Structure formats: C-alpha cells, structure tokens
Amino acid sequence: MRTGFWPLAPAGSTILLSIAMEIPVAKPEPLAEASDSCKQAPRPRGRPRVFDREQALETAMRLFWCRGYEATSLSELTAAMGIAAPSLYAAFGSKEQLFRAALARYIDGYRCNGGRVLADESMSTRQAFEAFFEAITQSFVESEQRSGCMLIAAEAGGLPAELREELARYRSALENQFVLRIERGMRVGDLPADTDAAALAKFLTALTQGLSIQARDGATTEQLAQIVRIAMRAWPSA
C-alpha cells in the first residue's frame, strides 16, 4: 500500500528527494529475554522469536499518522506493535525517538512517490507540479485511514516543542524545494523571468496542505483534482 505524501529535510537535489534528513534515532539494541521471577527455568531450545523492527516501525508510523503524537498512547503503541514497553525502549529509546524514526520512514515513502515525480526534469515545471499533485492526491485518497499528510496530521492534539519545530522544518524544506524547482523553470524558460519564486512556492505549499486536509475530511479523488485544476489557473504564463 502506498503511503501519503509529505516531506522534508533539504539536502542537495533539485527536489524533495533531498529532504530526508538524518534524524537521530537510538540504535536498536538486543531485546531483553523475559525472566521467571520465581525460579530458574531451563532455556527453551530452538530459535527465539524474531522481533520484526521494520514491521513494528510501520505500525507505529501509521498510528502516529492517523491519531497524532499526543493522542497515541504508549499502551496503544505496544499493543499494536506486539511488544512490551521494555522492548520498545530497547529498540527505539523512547516514544519521541520512535516518532522520529516513524517520521523518517514516512519521508522515505514520500521520496518514492511525490518527490520522485517532482524531481523529473524531463517535464516542464508546470507538468512536474501537476504530476506531483496527482501523485499526492492519489496517495491521500488511497491511504487506509484517509489521514492526509503525516507532517500535518501528526500535530493533532499537540506536540512537544522540539517535535513541533522538527515538523515545521520539514514543511519549510518542502517549500524550499518548490522554490528550487520553480527557479530552475525560470532558468530554462518554463516560467517568466520575473516570476516571484518564493510567493509561488508558498502558494503551492498552501495548496498541498489544503489537499491533505480535504482528503482527511473525505474529499474524493475527482474533488481533489478539481481543486488542483482551479488552483493551476494561477500559474504564470511564460
């Protein structure tokens, strides 16, 4: 299943492919074995149950994405991930670090969706943005729980200040990548030389965020596409 879009920590590409910043996440450590507090039982033979860290992280990402950071309790996380709290701490360090790891996973998914489309320099700037919006609206609608963009949805119910600033940096990085793509269009003649790249990028960022909220509220693919068509009427003429 494809995940929704959203982005962001800039690095060096002309597009959102560069947004995935290194997010400090605690290295996974071996999970502690359950012990018998009453007596020393013989160690069972055979291979121990393997902890699937990637699947657990995928589950956590979807919970945070759907419910937000604050509304997702530790007990809900451990129940959905199928692990005990000590195992969660051993593997991810803390709920906050788990959220950061989940966010990084979301960004990786984005890079294979909207980011890759926007990075395609074989298309004109307008074509690239139109393909970008088509890709993200499709992913918003196909998302199992219609959660829109995680960089917006995860703030539901509030966030610790550091995480809130981190999400804001990702969103700012997306806008900056829009600026870079627009400036490239100006250099190659896709857009007028006097285009206000920063203002156009902010407009397109607002459109992206609005599509996310509309999808979360139940808008259909066609309704989202209509919003994009109307918004693109404001595209500067070359």
Side-chain angles (χ1 to χ4, degrees), residues 60-69 72 77 98-99 102 150 154:
M61 181 194 76
R62 293 188 176 278
L63 275 175
F64 285 133
W65 185 2
C66 178
R67 304 199 55 188
Y69 177 84
T72 305
L77 285 166
L98 173 59
F99 177 79
M150 185 176 177

Side-chain angles (χ1 to χ4, degrees), residues 129-235:
F129 275 102
E130 288 175 336
F132 169 80
F133 286 121
E134 180 180 357
I136 65 168
T137 54
Q138 191 67 32
S139 67
F140 288 164
V141 171
E142 290 181 353
S143 177
E144 184 176 344
Q145 294 166 316
R146 298 296 293 266
S147 300
C149 168
M150 185 176 177
L151 296 187
I152 297 174
E155 288 207 60
L159 278 175
E162 288 186 4
L163 293 182
R164 186 168 59 251
E165 291 170 2
E166 195 162 307
L167 284 179
R169 285 195 296 270
Y170 273 102
R171 291 192 293 264
S172 178
L174 171 68
E175 185 173 321
N176 185 58
Q177 293 304 320
F178 282 3
V179 170
L180 294 177
R181 187 66 172 92
I182 292 165
E183 289 177 341
R184 179 185 180 278
M186 294 166 64
R187 289 194 300 271
V188 301
D190 284 347
L191 287 161
D194 62 351
T195 298
D196 188 333
L200 182 55
K202 192 166 289 293
F203 169 74
L204 296 172
T205 301
L207 174 59
T208 305
Q209 295 171 350
L211 291 170
S212 170
I213 294 171
Q214 286 290 316
R216 191 176 177 93
D217 288 345
T220 65
T221 302
E222 178 52 36
Q223 288 171 330
L224 296 177
Q226 180 66 12
I227 292 171
V228 173
R229 286 193 292 270
I230 293 172
M232 293 302 286
R233 293 175 186 173
W235 191 262

Side-chain angles (χ1 to χ4, degrees), residues 18-178:
S18 62
I19 64 171
M21 303 187 333
E22 289 285 329
I23 300 177
V25 178
K27 289 186 177 180
E29 300 174 2
L31 299 180
E33 294 287 341
S35 61
D36 189 327
S37 60
C38 299
K39 59 181 180 179
Q40 295 292 328
R43 194 180 186 87
R45 299 196 172 200
R47 300 176 64 181
R49 182 174 65 87
V50 176
F51 168 58
D52 189 339
R53 188 178 189 276
E54 290 304 306
Q55 183 55 54
L57 186 55
E58 175 74 15
T59 299
M61 181 194 76
R62 293 188 176 278
L63 275 175
F64 285 133
W65 185 2
C66 178
R67 304 199 55 188
Y69 177 84
E70 287 292 348
T72 305
S73 69
L74 187 63
S75 60
E76 288 173 319
L77 285 166
T78 54
M81 295 164 72
I83 59 176
S87 297
L88 184 150
Y89 290 125
F92 300 103
S94 67
K95 178 184 173 182
E96 183 173 316
Q97 288 177 309
L98 173 59
F99 177 79
R100 286 194 167 101
L103 184 59
R105 185 180 184 87
Y106 177 81
I107 298 303
D108 286 342
Y110 163 78
R111 286 167 40 188
C112 297
N113 187 22
R116 182 173 58 184
V117 172
L118 193 56
D120 188 350
E121 295 183 355
S122 69
M123 295 187 284
S124 71
T125 307
R126 175 169 183 152
Q127 289 171 335
F129 275 102
E130 288 175 336
F132 169 80
F133 286 121
E134 180 180 357
I136 65 168
T137 54
Q138 191 67 32
S139 67
F140 288 164
V141 171
E142 290 181 353
S143 177
E144 184 176 344
Q145 294 166 316
R146 298 296 293 266
S147 300
C149 168
M150 185 176 177
L151 296 187
I152 297 174
E155 288 207 60
L159 278 175
E162 288 186 4
L163 293 182
R164 186 168 59 251
E165 291 170 2
E166 195 162 307
L167 284 179
R169 285 195 296 270
Y170 273 102
R171 291 192 293 264
S172 178
L174 171 68
E175 185 173 321
N176 185 58
Q177 293 304 320
F178 282 3

